[in-house]
Amino acid sequence: MRESQSTVAHPFGAFTSAFTFRRLALVVILGVVTWAVLIALFGGSAALDAIASANGRWLLAALVVHYASFGVRGHRWRRLLDMAGHRLGYWHATSLLIAGWFVSALLPARAGDLLRVGVLRLEEPRRAAVPVGVSLGSIVSERALDILAILVLGAGFGWAVLQMQAPNWLIVSYAVALALLVGLAVAILATPTLVDWLRTWSQRLAWQKLLNFVQQAVGSLRLLAKRPRTAVLALMESLLIWLIDALVLWFVILSLDGNLPFGHAAFVALTVDVLAAAPLTPGGVGQIDAAYVALFALTPMAGAGFNVGAAVLLVRFITYWSFLLFSGAVAAFAGFGEIIRRLRNQEATPFTGVDAGSSLAAHPSSDISS
């Protein structure tokens, strides 16, 4: 029997319409307010003097390692897509990931991930379209690896620094992150059986297509369990990415003549990453800054004249504000502005649940083999 195609509103329309210069102005205003508050709280001119007298070599080292981490992120994402049968060039994958970060810096809740999914969904002369379920599964795999790496490193450094003196709010934060990770693992294991059961509820085409999409996305996630060598390599890359994040903070502290062991700096940086796992504001502006201040209160600084406000401002300048300009330039140079316009102009698109040509196409059995 011939199946009719259903049409739904383009899933990326809300994302592209929200991407405006007004949004950029809002982020800049929020950032200015955050900077003003931090400077006022930490001595005003004292904070500005500390920034002006910071050691430029250590700041350059922090800048270099932070930018290098995105090269590792691009390689990891390319590896995850390749595992699902979709090979991307390294520079294309990395530039798309950086462009996605640029969008996430302007919109809350990591909306830049939608850009990555949307761009891969567009067919190009040298590359077949990547099904939404596959690209979404690769990004969820990234997030799971990130949370695992942060929890392992953060808990390890935290125990070395605080041992049994960790405050309750900190323990709760790590517990919530661990619960999310365990919940994801349980969902991945249970989904094949659940999908097979749900298929018996209705034979309607829309229902079956929805289940095919879920099956495709989860099948992409399950590939990590079936490729242990790739999973180990991806986890090692994840650990390196977040150790670099700790290095950035440590180098900034050294630039301000702060005397803090690397383990303490790593605990602060990684715990901030846990608290900012779900950014409530664009780029976590204000939210991440406040988390740094709270964590520094748990790790007294021995360096004479060390200014916490200056440290937070310099870290955020390197990891957010400078990279906002850089990632925007990469997005423009790589032509992603034109791709965003293409996504915006697609009023509606046929949706078939599982896109044609997928290496993870749906089968009667929900347990997709590798």
Side-chain angles (χ1 to χ4, degrees):
M1 187 174 84
R2 186 177 181 178
E3 295 179 346
S4 61
Q5 279 191 331
S6 61
T7 303
V8 296
H10 195 278
F12 310 104
F15 148 67
T16 54
S17 63
F19 185 64
T20 62
F21 285 104
R22 182 181 300 177
R23 183 80 57 173
L24 177 59
L26 177 63
V27 171
V28 171
I29 292 172
L30 183 58
V32 170
V33 171
T34 301
W35 277 59
V37 170
L38 284 172
I39 291 172
L41 286 177
F42 292 95
S45 60
L48 295 176
D49 290 342
I51 292 174
S53 60
N55 187 309
R57 292 181 179 179
W58 285 118
L59 293 180
L60 179 61
L63 192 72
V64 169
V65 296
H66 174 68
Y67 279 56
S69 70
F70 280 84
V72 182
R73 289 175 185 270
H75 185 268
R76 181 185 62 173
W77 187 41
R78 180 173 179 264
R79 185 193 301 276
L80 294 173
L81 286 170
D82 183 60
M83 182 178 62
H86 297 273
R87 184 177 294 275
L88 267 66
Y90 171 76
W91 293 112
H92 179 67
T94 303
S95 61
L96 178 52
L97 184 143
I98 291 174
W101 187 97
F102 175 66
V103 174
S104 291
L106 299 179
L107 299 174
R110 300 193 184 277
D113 291 341
L114 285 177
L115 172 68
R116 291 200 269 168
V117 173
V119 170
L120 292 183
R121 187 171 177 269
L122 296 175
E123 189 170 357
E124 298 178 358
R126 293 182 296 177
R127 177 186 60 79
V130 179
V132 173
V134 175
S135 55
L136 185 61
S138 70
I139 292 172
V140 174
S141 296
E142 274 186 334
R143 295 289 172 264
L145 288 166
D146 284 339
I147 293 175
L148 179 58
I150 292 171
L151 285 177
V152 169
L153 294 172
F157 285 118
W159 175 259
V161 171
L162 297 177
Q163 296 185 7
M164 300 301 294
Q165 300 176 0
N168 290 335
W169 63 267
L170 184 59
I171 296 173
V172 169
S173 299
Y174 274 91
V176 169
L178 179 61
L180 290 174
L181 192 62
V182 172
L184 177 62
V186 171
I188 292 172
L189 292 174
T191 296
T193 302
L194 181 61
V195 167
D196 285 339
W197 177 61
L198 291 175
R199 286 190 186 280
T200 63
W201 282 23
S202 171
Q203 295 303 314
R204 288 181 177 274
L205 182 61
W207 177 248
Q208 293 296 322
K209 287 179 179 179
L210 174 62
L211 293 179
N212 285 347
F213 173 78
V214 173
Q215 179 180 330
Q216 186 182 70
V218 173
S220 180
L221 291 169
R222 289 170 66 88
L223 285 175
L224 272 176
K226 297 178 180 180
R227 308 280 181 85
R229 182 175 178 274
T230 301
V232 170
L233 291 174
L235 179 59
M236 295 301 293
E237 287 177 317
S238 302
L239 292 171
L240 175 60
I241 288 167
W242 294 104
L243 278 174
I244 288 176
D245 204 51
L247 272 175
V248 170
L249 176 60
W250 192 47
F251 287 161
V252 167
I253 291 172
L254 291 176
S255 77
L256 296 171
D257 293 328
N259 183 16
L260 191 70
F262 173 72
H264 287 66
F267 160 70
V268 171
L270 293 164
T271 305
V272 168
D273 293 328
V274 172
L275 297 174
L280 303 177
T281 60
V285 175
Q287 175 186 353
I288 293 177
D289 308 77
Y292 268 118
V293 172
L295 266 297
F296 269 124
L298 298 177
T299 53
M301 193 68 55
F306 179 82
N307 191 286
V308 171
V312 175
L313 291 175
L314 286 172
V315 169
R316 291 296 282 158
F317 175 78
I318 292 170
T319 60
Y320 181 78
W321 295 106
S322 76
F323 204 78
L324 180 65
L325 298 175
F326 173 77
S327 60
V330 169
F333 181 77
F336 290 119
E338 176 61 31
I339 292 175
I340 289 175
R341 283 189 287 272
R342 286 174 60 189
L343 289 171
R344 184 180 295 161
N345 291 334
Q346 290 187 5
E347 294 290 336
T349 184
F351 179 71
T352 58
V354 179
D355 301 273
S358 169
S359 63
L360 296 172
H363 297 281
S365 171
S366 294
D367 194 5
I368 301 170
S369 65
S370 59

